[in-house]
Structure formats: structure tokens, C-alpha cells
Amino acid sequence: MSSTTCPLVLVFLISLMFSSLVSFAIGDSMDRDLEISWGDGRGKFLNNANLLSLSLDKYSGSGFQSKNQYLFGRIDMQIKLVPGNSAGTVTTFFLSSQGPAHDEIDFEFLGNLSGNPYTLHTNVFAQGKGDKEQQFYLWFDPTKDFHTYSIVWNPKHIIFMVDNIPIRDFKNMEERGVGFPKDQPMRMYSSLWNADDWATMGGRVKTNWAQAPFTAYYQNYRANACVISPGSSGCPGNRFKTASISDNAWINQEVDAVSYRRMRWVQRKYMIYDYCADIKRFPQGLPAECRTHRPR
């Protein structure tokens, strides 16, 4: 068997395992799947736990996390960001494991002065190594209404999506020595905190505490994912809820031709930073995954 065949066989076996053995976690009211993790009352479940708010004042921010850990899945959350002058604030929605060699998949929303756009910051960490940033403006005002932000994470792809439009596809390129999150279960985390030392215009614009408290809202959390219990090393079928076959599509999801055109549209018009185009940052040569990477 050739070296190029082995990874394909492995992906097929993983896909077969998921389709035949694994059921999936699908959320109901948000307090069933989520818990406030910090903030001393600044994070709140509202409207019979169909709505969740995080607030930030000059004393503290707040955050919540998933009760479960996941190993591959599709995670969706609808978020309405802090309106008005949100300079210095950061609202996050991400997956992460723990420890110095952690894996992480990030959405971070960097606030700005009134009338200026938010910066959507994305990154991927594998075994503690990140430095894979792409940043975007959005094609709508994310403070006026709820919009859906999604992470699709399977053995071959990490796809970042906004309102079901892919904006980034980070592919598994371990054959080139590029780390890919695939072994460490991760929780979903979200937070609202002050980062005015770097978040807005490199820290030149500080948080205006006269505008506090700053508040972001969340609804319709959905985790269609493999749930890992503490101490387990795999995904035995008896640890899961049941889902229809159509809900399992994420395990083989990739960016098809139509979605690729939409992603290219976003990247051409709204991408404001791409580490794979930052030659000055990598004077010894771009990272291995960038050598055939042409997002623009």
C-alpha cells in the first residue's frame, strides 16, 4: 500500500466509524448544554434559557462553556454583538482543549469605534502552536440582529462559516508536517472581555468605560458532535443521543464548488489579513500549508 493511500484509508475508516457507531449531541434549551463559567453574575440565561447574555464592565467580563467535550462535530451559535462604541472589547466563540499543547479553533470579534466595522479574527492551534490568523470584515452589521457562526470540524477540514457561507477552509495537511487538531477533545467556550491593550487598532483605541456595561447576546446553540466522556479515548456509540442521518453530513463535509465560489467572494472582498500572504512575518519562508494556498 502506498504512502498516499494510507491517509485516505484512515479517513475512510474514521468516517465509517462515525456513520455506523456514533450518535450525536443536539441541544435543546441552552442551559441543558451550556453553563456560565465566570463573571460573578454578568453572564445570564434569559427567556427560559432560550437566550444568553454576557456583559463586561470595568471590573470584569464574563463567559460560558459547553458541559460536554467534543471530538469532531459541527457547532453553531447565533450571536448579536456589542453595539455602538465597542472599542477594546473582544467577544469570542471557540473550541479548545486544555494544557500547553492544547488544540483550539477560534472566532474572535474585535470591537471598534461607532460606525466602524468589527474585525472577525480566526485562528487554528494544534498541539499548542497557532500563528494561523485570518481576519475579515463582515458584509452586514453584526450588532443589529443575530447571525449564525459555525465551526465544522472533521478529520479532513476545519471550515469557518458565517450564515452558512464558508469564509475559511483549513485543511488537514499532516503529510506536510502541519499540525491538525484531531486527537484532543475540546469544549466550546465563549467570553466577553477587555483587551484594549491590543484589540482595536493595535491598542491605540482604549475602552470607553462610560459606555459600559457592554453586552452581547447568544441564542440557538447547536452541537451536532461526537461527545467524549471524561477518561474515554474514543467514541463508543452508547454515549450519545440519536440524530437523523442528514445531521451526520458534517463528518464528510468539505467546500464544494458552489461553496468555494462563495468563500472566494468573501475572501476577495472582506479579508483584511492573511498570514499566508504576510511575507515580512516569515522571512525564512511561508509555512508549509501556505505554499499552495491562494485565498485571494
Side-chain angles (χ1 to χ4, degrees):
M1 185 178 292
S2 71
S3 60
T4 58
T5 303
C6 290
L8 296 176
V9 172
L10 178 60
V11 168
F12 172 78
L13 291 175
I14 292 174
S15 300
L16 182 61
M17 176 190 73
F18 273 82
S19 62
S20 60
L21 294 179
V22 179
S23 307
F24 302 89
I26 300 175
D28 298 314
S29 62
M30 291 200 294
D31 61 347
R32 176 171 177 159
D33 296 301
L34 306 175
E35 56 190 2
I36 306 297
S37 52
W38 63 283
D40 194 24
R42 292 172 179 82
K44 298 177 181 178
F45 286 105
L46 306 168
N47 190 23
N48 296 319
N50 290 310
L51 185 68
L52 193 160
S53 68
L54 293 181
S55 291
L56 163 70
D57 58 34
K58 64 181 178 179
Y59 302 105
S60 179
S62 50
F64 63 89
Q65 66 185 43
S66 64
K67 295 179 180 179
N68 291 319
Q69 297 183 82
Y70 312 116
L71 183 63
F72 304 126
R74 173 169 174 156
I75 312 296
D76 301 277
M77 177 68 86
Q78 291 189 328
I79 306 174
K80 181 159 55 172
L81 295 176
V82 175
N85 182 357
S86 58
T89 71
V90 176
T91 306
T92 67
F93 167 56
F94 64 102
L95 294 170
S96 183
S97 60
Q98 298 298 309
H102 74 292
D103 293 341
E104 187 170 320
I105 303 169
D106 290 339
F107 272 114
E108 295 185 336
F109 303 89
L110 311 185
N112 218 322
L113 296 172
S114 299
N116 291 326
Y118 265 81
T119 296
L120 171 53
H121 176 98
T122 67
N123 202 355
V124 175
F125 287 75
Q127 295 83 53
K129 180 175 173 53
D131 301 328
K132 295 174 173 60
E133 303 93 343
Q134 289 184 354
Q135 294 183 338
F136 305 82
Y137 289 146
L138 294 165
W139 50 97
F140 52 83
D141 184 342
T143 73
K144 296 297 186 184
D145 204 350
F146 287 94
H147 292 268
T148 303
Y149 303 92
S150 307
I151 296 169
V152 174
W153 171 36
N154 65 41
K156 296 174 66 176
H157 297 267
I158 295 169
I159 305 170
F160 297 80
M161 296 196 296
V162 177
D163 289 336
N164 217 37
I165 297 173
I167 65 170
R168 179 178 186 180
D169 179 13
F170 185 82
K171 299 177 181 178
N172 186 336
M173 287 186 273
E174 290 180 298
E175 72 279 2
R176 299 188 190 180
V178 180
F180 187 86
K182 64 178 178 59
D183 298 316
Q184 300 186 63
M186 297 195 275
R187 292 187 192 274
M188 189 284 298
Y189 297 90
S190 188
S191 60
L192 175 56
W193 55 289
N194 178 46
D196 66 2
D197 58 332
W198 64 270
T200 305
M201 298 183 184
R204 296 191 300 276
V205 181
K206 302 300 182 180
T207 304
N208 181 358
W209 294 114
Q211 303 290 321
F214 304 96
T215 303
Y217 293 93
Y218 301 77
Q219 67 180 19
N220 292 333
Y221 175 70
R222 178 180 173 90
N224 189 0
C226 172
V227 177
I228 302 296
S229 298
S232 67
S233 59
C235 300
N238 61 0
R239 297 186 185 275
F240 306 93
K241 304 173 188 176
T242 306
S244 66
I245 293 176
S246 61
D247 286 329
N248 300 352
W250 58 265
I251 190 61
N252 295 309
Q253 187 169 340
E254 57 186 20
V255 177
D256 61 20
V258 173
S259 296
Y260 180 77
R261 287 194 293 270
R262 301 172 83 189
M263 183 174 71
R264 289 276 291 167
W265 171 79
V266 172
Q267 293 177 345
R268 282 195 299 265
K269 291 182 65 68
Y270 297 102
M271 181 182 283
I272 58 173
Y273 178 79
D274 178 14
Y275 77 110
C276 279
D278 194 344
I279 298 174
K280 292 182 179 179
R281 182 178 171 185
F282 301 103
Q284 304 304 316
L286 292 172
E289 69 271 22
C290 298
R291 292 167 193 167
T292 59
H293 175 81
R294 298 290 185 270
R296 294 180 184 277

